[in-house]
Amino acid sequence: MTAPLPYQTIAEIFALFEEAEPDPQGELEHVNAYTLLVAVALSAQATDAGVNKATRSLFPVADTPQKMLDLGEEGLIAHIKTVGLYPTKARNIMKMARILVDDFGGEVPSSREALVSLPGVGRKTANVVLNAAFGVPAQAVDTHIFRVANRTGIAPGKDVVAVERAVEDRIPAQYQLRAHHWLILHGRYTCVARKPKCPACLIREHCGYEEKWL
């Protein structure tokens, strides 16, 4: 774990991220809050590309909880059977749709507590939905963010909750809404797990990773 970077250094890092990519977006395709929720639920232990391939045929016929119920579990499976763990995910999505219709008027709730009460929805999924669908500066810490936060010193922490809190505490408020998008993209394409692409890194001069010059 790299030592925490100074606040000013973190501000300079995110200014560079913003200059390079002013409006970063998540890579999961969706058309509304509900389809985002379904896409994120499907993305567990699966690639965004694989989920997108499945949902391109799913969402045109099931973009609301009621339409998902009308499609039925077997109909859903026909669309998502290429996605890892699809039987469990299909069951959870159908249970989720029923709860959304019965208890939330067919709408996706905008609170973390309500979201994590849904089948198959954990804190990370809830934070993605809060951020992307409702504009809440919630930080969804995945493996990419956890790695980048600890390797660079931007927001070190021993577990995902600690990193989430560190991101919220240490990154300037003006960057909070889009912070997790920048960090995910950086981890996915530059600060990769096995051999980070330090020579081509946008924030190399500010990063605390000791091996960046090797």
Side-chain angles (χ1 to χ4, degrees):
M1 184 186 300
T2 301
L5 293 173
Y7 177 86
Q8 184 56 40
T9 301
I10 295 171
E12 291 169 359
I13 285 172
F14 279 88
L16 289 170
F17 282 151
E18 183 176 51
E19 182 180 1
E21 184 61 68
D23 188 25
Q25 300 293 324
E27 297 184 332
L28 285 173
E29 297 172 5
H30 61 282
V31 296
N32 55 29
Y34 175 65
T35 55
L36 174 63
L37 178 61
V38 171
V40 179
L42 287 172
S43 71
Q45 299 185 47
T47 65
D48 287 358
V51 172
N52 290 339
K53 184 177 180 180
T55 59
R56 283 173 193 147
S57 65
L58 172 64
F59 291 157
V61 297
D63 61 354
T64 69
Q66 185 59 58
K67 289 180 182 178
M68 189 67 75
L69 292 175
D70 294 341
L71 180 64
E73 187 170 329
E74 290 304 314
L76 170 59
I77 286 174
H79 291 278
I80 68 168
K81 59 187 177 182
T82 57
V83 177
L85 305 177
Y86 74 87
T88 299
K89 292 175 181 179
R91 287 193 295 271
N92 283 335
I93 288 170
M94 298 310 297
K95 290 176 183 177
M96 181 196 306
R98 172 52 62 194
I99 292 171
L100 290 174
V101 168
D102 291 349
D103 298 344
F104 295 97
E107 300 293 330
V108 175
S110 58
S111 79
R112 182 183 290 115
E113 181 178 8
L115 285 167
V116 298
S117 74
L118 298 171
V121 177
R123 187 179 182 91
K124 184 183 78 172
T125 296
N127 283 349
V128 171
V129 174
L130 289 172
N131 185 290
F134 298 107
V136 176
Q139 307 301 328
V141 178
D142 68 353
T143 56
H144 296 300
I145 292 182
F146 187 81
R147 179 176 65 255
V148 172
N150 278 292
R151 180 184 278 165
T152 62
I154 289 173
K158 293 183 178 180
D159 54 44
V160 294
V161 174
V163 169
E164 178 185 324
R165 290 172 177 164
V167 170
E168 293 173 347
D169 290 344
R170 309 191 77 242
I171 293 174
Q174 71 197 82
Y175 303 119
Q176 284 282 325
L177 183 60
R178 293 167 292 178
H180 88 278
H181 289 304
W182 283 314
L183 291 172
I184 286 173
L185 293 172
H186 191 63
R188 186 170 287 167
Y189 298 110
T190 302
C191 197
V192 295
R194 293 187 179 181
K195 190 176 180 181
K197 302 174 184 178
C198 295
C201 179
L202 179 70
I203 64 168
R204 187 182 188 188
E205 298 291 337
H206 304 283
C207 174
Y209 184 47
E210 290 185 357
E211 297 179 33
K212 66 184 176 181
W213 303 114
L214 300 179

